[in-house]
Amino acid sequence: MTAPAPSPRGWCPSLHEPMLSGDGLLLRVKPHAARLTAAEARLIAHQAARHGNGTIDLTQRGNLQPRGFSTNGARMFADAMVAAGLARAEPGVERGRNLLAPPLLGVDAGIAPGTAALVGALADAMATWPSLPAKFGVVVDGGGLLPLLTERADLHLRCLGPQVDIRLGGGDAVATCAAEDAVGAATRLARHFATLAPARRMHQAVALQGAASMMAAAGLVARPDANPLPALAPCAVGPLPGPVLGVAAPFGQLQAAQLAALAELAERQGDGTLRVSPWRALLLPGVTDTAAAAALGMIVSPTDPRLRVLACTGAPGCGAAMLDTRAAAAWLAPRL
């Protein structure tokens, strides 16, 4: 059997462009504004089990990554996601929908006013942006209980109510604009970046041109960034104010049956939504029953030793791996 050709460096899968791995094809579902209804979560779980192997990764981009599809199964899963309004039918538009939003948007009163409007307007604008590398990502942060300050992105917009701070990945400068001008500024920056071949990520473009020069090309005035980003992400696991229950998938992977059961829990006890995060955790607004979530095999304590270990896919999911990394991580975690 001939081994599949390696994927191009810097490429990553999307819904319409699955990636071949050791357990079949994998693809990504990108929830709108970090939010899934219970019905949408059940649909994803059902289709992942029906057409794939039922394993779902939680990615550090706030996406769900179902695995184990055949070519035909991947196509049928993608069709179901488009029909449900969870994805765009145009491959180029869907590929570029890399927008990370605050997971508790609409729940956390501490998130800056105007953040939801900025997320919605920016998502619409991104559909019109030029073709960009598949890894090109945008973060919109609004502060609150779980800020996204630690999340790296090509474009990072922090909503401060009437103003928005804009940072470039790899840059040491920040520009401030009025909230109503932020989408236009981000669009100009993305279009300018698209002209800077062969840069594949923003930090490469910044190294070529400088952050201040790129900001100026978009009509922004840059100043030195006096507020370095924090090194540690907020804790998104366990009972949180709201109330909200944060549950983590051990080593970032859960099964379709677990996702479906979490959807039932969200509907029965919470507000009927599940919020995705870049910390491989799902947030259930209104849910307080940690025992019910723990019974599903989810991590519900911020002191769980498994949270101290990161594990790649490993064998058999990765065709290049020689070790079951998740089994090794499970053995190692309590011994650290």
Side-chain angles (χ1 to χ4, degrees):
M1 177 178 175
T2 303
S7 300
R9 187 175 181 82
W11 181 79
C12 62
S14 66
L15 182 71
H16 303 295
E17 297 157 321
M19 176 184 285
L20 182 62
S21 192
D23 55 353
L25 295 172
L26 59 87
L27 40 78
R28 287 183 181 171
V29 179
K30 304 173 181 179
H32 298 283
R35 180 182 184 275
L36 289 172
T37 66
E40 289 170 339
R42 277 195 295 268
L43 174 68
I44 293 170
H46 173 71
Q47 296 293 331
R50 179 183 181 188
H51 300 299
N53 63 14
T55 297
I56 302 171
D57 298 326
L58 300 180
T59 80
Q60 291 177 312
R61 287 172 169 254
N63 299 328
L64 279 69
Q65 186 168 269
R67 309 180 63 95
F69 294 92
S70 65
T71 300
N72 191 48
R75 179 184 56 77
M76 290 190 288
F77 180 90
D79 288 346
M81 296 301 104
V82 171
L86 285 165
R88 294 291 295 265
E90 308 90 340
V93 173
E94 180 62 22
R95 183 192 315 122
R97 259 191 345 103
N98 299 320
L99 175 58
L100 184 59
L104 293 180
L105 198 59
V107 174
D108 181 1
I111 294 176
T115 303
L118 178 57
V119 168
L122 191 56
D124 290 340
M126 288 173 68
T128 70
W129 285 6
S131 179
L132 295 169
K135 286 184 177 291
F136 190 95
V138 180
V139 167
V140 174
D141 182 28
L145 181 66
L146 299 173
L148 297 172
L149 285 172
T150 58
E151 302 312 306
R152 303 302 191 258
D154 296 279
L155 291 177
H156 194 293
L157 287 75
R158 181 169 174 79
C159 186
L160 303 170
Q163 295 181 320
V164 174
D165 279 352
I166 301 179
R167 293 175 172 84
L168 304 180
D172 56 359
V174 60
T176 301
C177 66
E180 60 267 25
D181 298 330
V183 173
T187 298
R188 291 192 298 274
L189 283 165
R191 293 187 185 280
H192 180 61
F193 171 82
T195 68
L196 300 179
R200 303 293 297 169
R201 297 303 302 269
M202 186 62 78
H203 68 85
Q204 297 169 325
V206 167
L208 288 171
Q209 283 210 338
S213 176
M214 293 192 66
M215 294 280 199
L220 298 169
V221 178
R223 65 181 187 277
D225 191 352
N227 299 305
L229 298 180
L232 297 178
C235 179
V237 177
L240 303 171
V244 175
L245 179 62
V247 300
F251 314 115
Q253 193 173 84
L254 73 166
Q255 298 301 311
Q258 291 174 298
L259 179 59
L262 287 172
E264 295 295 334
L265 183 62
E267 205 166 50
R268 186 172 68 251
Q269 292 191 11
D271 70 351
T273 70
L274 299 84
R275 309 303 182 93
V276 298
S277 79
W279 309 296
R280 294 184 168 181
L282 296 171
L283 301 163
L284 310 178
V287 175
T288 58
D289 191 349
T290 57
L296 299 176
M298 305 301 291
I299 298 174
V300 297
S301 170
T303 61
D304 191 294
R306 289 171 291 180
L307 295 176
R308 301 200 297 264
V309 183
L310 297 178
C312 67
T313 300
C318 175
M322 297 178 289
L323 176 72
D324 185 341
T325 55
R326 286 187 167 88
W331 179 89
L332 175 64
R335 293 170 171 82
L336 289 174

